[in-house]
Amino acid sequence: QVLLVESGGGLVQAGGSLRVSCVASGRTFSDYAMGWFRQAPDKEREFVATISRSGRYTYYQDSVKGRFTISRDNAKNTVYLQMNSLKPEDTAVYYCAAKATNGQSWFVRPYEYDYWGQGTQVTVSS
């Protein structure tokens, strides 16, 4: 069992920045690829970014490329999502997720992930 706890959400003006974090416990963090997803009201959960076990490989949804950066610190069991140039359409609950894997793959579909955090609200005002 892996417990994921997100933090760092909040209210920010359009154009601003925010960093959300996700701390994992329970298993060896470096055994898991990690992902960030988000869900806005009345919308399906959507992929935002993913990172491989070592952190060497990352992949982003097109709408956040160049604005968001996913990173991880395996020594701290933590994955981060740095969000810059935020837009009102980025408003959502942001979730981190963990996927057990042997290789350095990354994953973009929610059903591929094994564990989920409870989410943290990010609100971008115009």
Side-chain angles (χ1 to χ4, degrees):
Q1 186 77 9
V2 175
L3 179 64
L4 302 173
V5 180
E6 301 97 335
S7 63
L11 174 63
V12 63
Q13 288 188 333
S17 297
L18 206 59
R19 188 178 79 163
V20 291
S21 304
C22 171
V23 179
S25 61
R27 295 284 178 89
T28 303
F29 183 63
S30 58
D31 286 346
Y32 293 83
M34 300 298 295
W36 283 99
F37 291 77
R38 65 187 181 187
Q39 188 166 17
D42 299 323
K43 292 189 176 181
E44 292 188 355
R45 190 168 299 189
E46 66 172 0
F47 165 76
V48 176
T50 182
I51 189 166
S52 62
R53 290 171 56 194
S54 67
R56 179 176 180 182
Y57 302 104
T58 59
Y59 184 74
Y60 299 89
Q61 181 201 108
D62 284 347
S63 69
V64 306
K65 283 180 182 176
R67 300 190 298 123
F68 291 11
T69 302
I70 188 172
S71 62
R72 65 189 296 162
D73 185 338
N74 286 346
K76 295 183 177 179
N77 293 350
T78 303
V79 61
Y80 306 96
L81 185 68
Q82 176 68 44
M83 302 180 288
N84 299 329
S85 302
L86 281 160
K87 305 175 181 180
E89 51 264 43
D90 294 318
T91 295
V93 177
Y94 283 71
Y95 298 90
C96 71
K99 163 65 178 176
T101 180
N102 294 323
Q104 293 298 325
S105 301
W106 37 256
F107 304 87
V108 302
R109 299 173 182 84
Y111 68 80
E112 296 179 297
Y113 284 80
D114 303 307
Y115 301 100
W116 291 84
Q118 84 290 347
T120 186
Q121 177 71 47
V122 172
T123 302
V124 184
S125 62
S126 57

